Amino acid sequence: MSSCPKIKLNNGNEIPQMGFGVYQIKGDELTEKCVAEALKVGYRHIDTAHYYENERGVGAAIKKSGIPRDQIWVTSKVWVTEFGSGKTKAAIEKMLKRLDMEYIDLVLLHYPYNDYLGAYKELEEEYKKGHIKNIGISNFEDYKFEDLYNKVEIKPVLNQIELHPYFQQREIRKKMDELNCKTEGWAPLGQALTNLFAEDCIKKLSEKYKKTPAQIVLRWHIQSGFITIPKSCKPERIKENFEVFDFELTEDEMKSIDELNGKRSRVQYNWLIMYFALWLLPAPKD
Ligand code: NAD
């Protein structure tokens, strides 16, 4: 079977195009199990966040896998309550301890709220010290993307945004392409909350290629050039989601999926997340 391609970033570093996402995997024990399973079937890129409260599980699975650290790409994200002078530097120190690592491949600002410029400046300092190998952002979907991009010294290598056939974010992606900031899509399967897998075009391709609807959707992400990070806790699905490098959709088939854009809305409203996360929920535990 062909292997997972890598995407070259604006600083020359290369990220495996498919990673394993661990949002909503509860606790370090289950996370360790799922990440171990993902590494076993070939994933070499894990996407976590302080907010998910499972970085220790990610670090433990990587350590126990015996795979050399430099062969696995680890992304984590700094939460909004940790943005600002002095706070972000301290947050990275704690993140390194939770992951039990000497460096993190990529750190993202999780959402564009609070003092995101102050936070980014501290990530730049951590980058210069070698604690972080790449800096990126997440959910910068409006004017804040260019605001940040124009003001920072070390340009973000990617922007992680909600992205699936129903919600293709064409406007912000155009700006990101112009500035060579790569697109990483979260909720690539639409969190399985929508009707996506039952769409006629997906079902037809699933039959033609003898692949599941999830594999067809993930193949669309790969051929669109997106970095993608599907999540699952089920071993058979973790494996299935990674088996998308041995077939290719035609241009017309890609277009048939492109046409789903806008048919349904996004799955997660950022302002709602912020409302709960910033004012109603406690900050993530250290
Ligand atoms: P996803 O689109 O990856 O959907 C995950 C869900 O899809 C699973 O819980 C399961 O119900 C279903 N699923 C998975 N594989 C399947 C298969 N083969 N067949 C049928 N159903 C299947 O959604 P997600 O987890 O929200 O997003 C992926 C990753 O993106 C996260 O784990 C996380 O790392 C990241 N993320 C980032 C942000 C952000 O704000 N930056 C927000 C959400 C998620």
Side-chain angles (χ1 to χ4, degrees):
M1 193 178 86
S2 354
S3 57
C4 174
K6 287 188 172 181
I7 297 277
K8 196 175 235 168
L9 304 170
N10 61 19
N11 57 11
N13 292 335
E14 291 188 332
I15 182 172
Q17 194 176 358
M18 182 179 285
F20 179 66
V22 300
Y23 178 44
Q24 289 175 328
I25 303 187
K26 292 258 173 289
D28 291 312
E29 207 174 310
L30 179 60
T31 304
E32 184 180 330
K33 234 170 105 190
C34 295
V35 172
E37 194 61 39
L39 294 173
K40 195 174 90 190
V41 301
Y43 293 77
R44 290 294 179 268
H45 165 184
I46 311 295
D47 184 273
T48 183
H50 183 199
Y51 187 68
Y52 308 163
E53 294 187 338
N54 57 17
E55 290 165 307
R56 286 184 182 84
V58 171
I62 290 174
K63 198 146 256 183
K64 288 182 194 166
S65 72
I67 300 166
R69 172 70 187 89
D70 64 2
Q71 287 176 29
I72 304 175
W73 181 286
V74 177
T75 299
S76 194
K77 313 179 192 86
V78 185
W79 189 239
V80 286
T81 49
E82 301 170 311
F83 288 5
S85 185
K87 287 199 232 169
T88 311
K89 184 178 164 299
I92 296 300
E93 258 170 51
K94 288 181 190 164
M95 185 180 276
L96 284 164
K97 284 206 183 110
R98 286 191 302 269
L99 286 163
D100 193 17
M101 287 171 185
E102 309 266 302
Y103 67 88
I104 307 159
D105 296 272
L106 171 63
V107 174
L108 312 180
L109 296 183
H110 208 145
Y111 278 94
Y113 291 90
N114 289 348
D115 180 14
Y116 58 82
L117 285 172
Y120 199 94
K121 243 186 202 25
E122 299 219 333
L123 291 190
E124 290 178 325
E125 285 165 24
E126 293 301 297
Y127 173 88
K128 287 174 189 164
K129 287 187 211 149
H131 295 158
I132 297 175
K133 300 291 182 193
N134 301 273
I135 309 176
I137 51 182
S138 178
N139 298 302
F140 280 64
E141 293 179 359
D142 55 18
Y143 74 93
K144 288 179 182 168
F145 169 69
E146 276 173 301
D147 176 55
L148 178 131
Y149 192 92
N150 292 328
K151 287 179 182 157
V152 300
E153 180 196 339
I154 299 160
K155 304 301 178 193
V157 293
L158 59 80
N159 187 8
Q160 186 181 112
I161 51 179
E162 179 176 343
L163 187 68
H164 41 82
Y166 285 144
F167 190 65
Q168 295 176 27
Q169 302 251 36
R170 290 182 183 164
E171 220 174 296
I172 188 67
R173 279 203 288 114
K174 189 164 173 284
K175 284 198 185 123
M176 285 155 57
D177 287 347
E178 281 162 14
L179 296 170
N180 195 13
C181 178
K182 295 291 178 206
T183 299
E184 179 168 53
W186 62 257
L189 301 171
Q191 292 182 342
L193 295 174
T194 61
N195 200 40
L196 183 59
F197 296 160
E199 288 289 347
D200 281 347
C201 65
I202 306 284
K203 280 202 301 199
K204 212 171 84 193
L205 295 172
S206 167
E207 277 159 30
K208 174 175 170 188
Y209 291 103
K210 305 204 174 357
K211 291 283 183 181
T212 65
Q215 287 173 318
I216 299 296
V217 172
L218 291 171
R219 185 68 210 172
W220 172 84
H221 282 275
I222 294 292
Q223 282 184 227
S224 300
F226 308 143
I227 300 155
T228 188
I229 46 174
K231 169 251 170 186
S232 175
C233 287
K234 298 196 166 95
E236 63 280 11
R237 283 180 174 174
I238 294 174
K239 184 166 181 285
E240 171 188 323
N241 292 347
F242 200 67
E243 290 175 345
V244 296
F245 306 113
D246 56 353
F247 74 108
E248 194 162 339
L249 303 173
T250 66
E251 214 172 295
D252 282 347
E253 289 165 351
M254 286 293 288
K255 274 194 199 135
S256 72
I257 303 179
D258 286 345
E259 279 164 17
L260 295 176
N261 189 35
K263 201 170 162 192
R264 294 200 177 212
S265 67
R266 59 190 312 152
V267 294
Q268 202 166 285
Y269 287 88
N270 292 343
W271 62 267
L272 195 64
I273 293 281
M274 281 304 111
Y275 178 76
F276 278 101
L278 282 178
W279 292 289
L280 297 179
L281 297 174
K285 286 192 216 100
D286 282 347

